[in-house]
């Protein structure tokens, strides 16, 4: 949970910031982000990242591999029926189907994902099996479900009474316009959990899982299962993952862009900012949509940046697991 002392310290720091000249308060000023490089480190999107980080860190501390840590971390959120953006309890598409997207990447550069998958609580674990047991990277829809069932996963109805009620309320107007920062409304989260981990040996892995945009068109797939868009990990450099409106992330291949910028010398913070600015420059939708990136370098330095205010992320490092408000462009 949110560390109260840290929260108070941050609030005090924010208060002092308001006294600074406006040039120093620029949202795109990256020099003010504290640089910590302690390993191991776990970083993940939104406040549902706090319990996910805790589980991932527990896995590392009990001798688990970094790949096990990222999978087990996001599984906590997939299994939570009160979370309406990931796994069971996810809000359905406009036809009432809960369809899930997930991806995972290992330190050796291997990757697996599933998209448009129904009736399976843990799509991230199916993605891991796609990576480990098949010559493919992505399985979709019916084929992904068939593979999951043949691999021993049990089918389950993912549409909870709460999600069904929200869908029926939406059907009354059937007006589709994704809302920015639903994520921070209790029980109304859209969006992805993306989680990155670096263990104490500097090995990196990442995972990303979501039910995608609520009330989307049936068949829509977001950025989360697209390797390089919603997630990218390169064990030589670092990792990045995205949240928010997947269409904007896919059109700029955002997570790959962040990692490549880090490869070329940017800090994780600078790389996240530059990837967001690419969207600002290229996509007229950027003014009314949210996209957030988090990133970590191989040595444990982290960064985050979003289009709109309101994005937050969970950082577990140096014995603390805290929620941090991201800087934003707007
Ligand atoms: N970022 C998740 C999605 O757009 O589906």
């Amino acid at each position: 949970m949110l560390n109260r002392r840290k929260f108070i310290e941050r609030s005090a720091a924010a208060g002092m910031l308001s006294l600074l000249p406006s040039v120093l308060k620029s949202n795109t000023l990256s020099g003010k982000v504290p640089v910590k490089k302690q390993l191991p480190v776990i970083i993940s999107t939104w406040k549902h990242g706090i319990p996910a980080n805790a589980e991932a860190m527990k896995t590392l501390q009990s001798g688990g591999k970094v790949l096990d840590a990222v999978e087990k971390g996001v599984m906590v959120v997939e299994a939570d029926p009160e979370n309406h953006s990931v796994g069971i309890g996810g809000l359905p598409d406009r036809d009432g189907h809960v369809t899930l997207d997930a991806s995972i990447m290992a330190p050796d550069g291997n990757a697996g994902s599933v998209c448009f998958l129904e009736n399976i609580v843990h799509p991230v674990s199916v993605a891991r099996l796609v990576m480990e047991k098949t010559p493919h990277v992505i399985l979709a829809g019916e084929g992904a479900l068939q593979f999951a069932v043949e691999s021993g996963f049990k089918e389950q109805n993912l549409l909870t009474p709460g999600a069904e009620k929200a869908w029926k309320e939406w059907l009354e107007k059937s007006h589709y316009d994704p809302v920015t920062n639903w994520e921070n409304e209790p029980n109304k989260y859209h969006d992805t959990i993306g989680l990155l981990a670096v263990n104490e040996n500097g090995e990196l892995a990442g995972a990303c899982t979501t039910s995608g945009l609520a009330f989307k068109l049936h068949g829509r797939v977001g950025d989360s299962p697209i390797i390089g868009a919603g997630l990218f990990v390169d064990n030589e450099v670092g990792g990045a993952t995205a949240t928010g409106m997947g269409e904007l992330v896919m059109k700029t291949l955002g997570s790959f862009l962040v990692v490549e910028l880090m490869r070329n010398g940017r800090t994780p913070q600078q790389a996240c900012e530059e990837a967001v600015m690419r969207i600002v420059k290229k996509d007229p939708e950027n003014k009314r949509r949210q996209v957030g990136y988090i990133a970590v370098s191989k040595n444990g330095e982290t960064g985050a940046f979003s289009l709109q205010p309101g994005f937050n992320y969970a950082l577990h490092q140096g014995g603390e697991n805290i929620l941090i408000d991201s800087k934003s462009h707007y």
Side-chain angles (χ1 to χ4, degrees):
M1 298 300 295
L2 173 62
N3 178 306
R4 187 174 142 74
R5 183 175 58 81
K6 274 281 156 199
F7 178 77
I8 292 167
E9 280 174 13
R10 280 176 198 288
S11 302
M16 286 172 71
L17 260 182
S18 67
L19 301 173
L20 295 173
S22 59
V23 65
L24 289 181
K25 287 191 289 180
S26 161
N27 279 338
T28 55
L29 194 70
S30 59
K32 295 282 158 194
V33 175
V35 176
K36 261 175 135 182
K37 295 184 182 174
Q38 207 165 355
L39 296 179
V41 56
I42 318 271
I43 184 170
S44 61
T45 53
W46 302 109
K47 63 185 168 192
H48 50 209
I50 294 281
N53 283 2
E55 184 65 27
M57 191 58 87
K58 198 172 92 186
T59 305
L60 285 183
Q61 284 168 346
S62 56
K65 293 182 186 154
V66 70
L67 187 63
D68 299 326
V70 298
E71 180 188 8
K72 287 190 188 305
V74 300
M75 282 173 72
V76 172
V77 187
E78 288 181 336
D80 179 1
E82 300 304 321
N83 184 307
H84 289 319
S85 66
V86 180
I88 190 164
L91 291 173
D93 65 20
R94 67 180 197 175
D95 297 339
H97 297 265
V98 180
T99 70
L100 305 178
D101 296 339
S103 61
I104 192 161
M105 283 193 82
D108 64 359
N110 209 358
S113 84
V114 289
C115 61
F116 193 45
L117 174 64
E118 294 186 57
N119 296 337
I120 299 290
V121 177
H122 291 300
V124 73
S125 301
V126 186
R128 181 168 176 176
L129 276 193
V130 172
M131 174 175 83
E132 291 179 338
K133 304 282 184 211
T134 81
H136 308 308
V137 172
I138 308 181
L139 290 181
E142 280 293 320
L145 179 60
Q146 182 185 335
F147 171 75
V149 170
E150 285 172 6
S151 303
F153 288 82
K154 296 273 172 289
E155 286 193 72
Q156 190 176 332
N157 178 17
L158 303 181
L159 187 64
T160 57
E164 188 172 13
K165 180 166 175 282
W167 170 57
K168 288 195 168 148
E169 282 166 10
W170 177 82
L171 277 179
E172 284 167 20
K173 289 192 182 151
S174 296
H175 174 63
Y176 185 69
D177 189 15
V179 178
T180 295
N181 291 335
W182 264 28
E183 299 85 353
N184 289 322
E185 290 184 38
N187 300 326
K188 268 199 166 181
Y189 308 129
H190 159 257
D191 203 54
T192 320
I193 175 142
L195 184 148
L196 307 163
V198 192
N199 68 14
E200 61 185 11
N201 301 323
E203 293 169 324
L204 278 132
C208 186
T209 174
T210 185
S211 51
L213 296 172
F215 320 130
K216 61 198 172 186
L217 280 175
H218 188 57
R220 182 262 186 189
V221 169
D223 59 311
S224 303
I226 309 298
I227 303 301
L231 176 71
F232 197 72
V233 170
D234 184 322
N235 204 51
E236 289 176 9
V237 178
T241 186
T243 182
M245 188 77 187
E247 281 71 4
L248 278 63
V249 176
M250 286 187 273
K251 286 188 270 184
T252 50
L253 207 57
S255 294
F256 181 73
L257 177 60
V258 170
V259 173
E260 285 309 289
L261 288 165
M262 285 159 56
R263 188 192 306 280
N264 287 309
R266 309 299 197 286
T267 65
Q269 182 62 33
Q270 289 167 338
C272 289
E273 293 183 11
E274 207 166 321
V276 166
M277 294 314 291
R278 186 74 57 93
I279 295 173
V280 171
K281 193 172 155 199
K282 297 250 176 204
D283 201 318
E285 281 279 284
N286 80 83
K287 293 189 180 63
R288 50 192 297 274
R289 301 290 182 221
Q290 176 65 300
V291 166
Y293 291 111
I294 57 172
V296 64
S297 67
K298 190 171 174 64
N299 67 3
E301 189 179 347
T302 58
F305 201 64
S306 59
L307 272 172
Q308 315 292 340
F311 172 48
N312 49 36
Y313 63 100
L315 179 65
H316 201 329
Q317 191 170 32
E320 290 182 319
N321 188 15
I322 56 171
L323 191 66
I324 300 173
D325 285 330
S326 169
K327 294 179 169 201
S328 63
H329 173 65
Y330 290 110

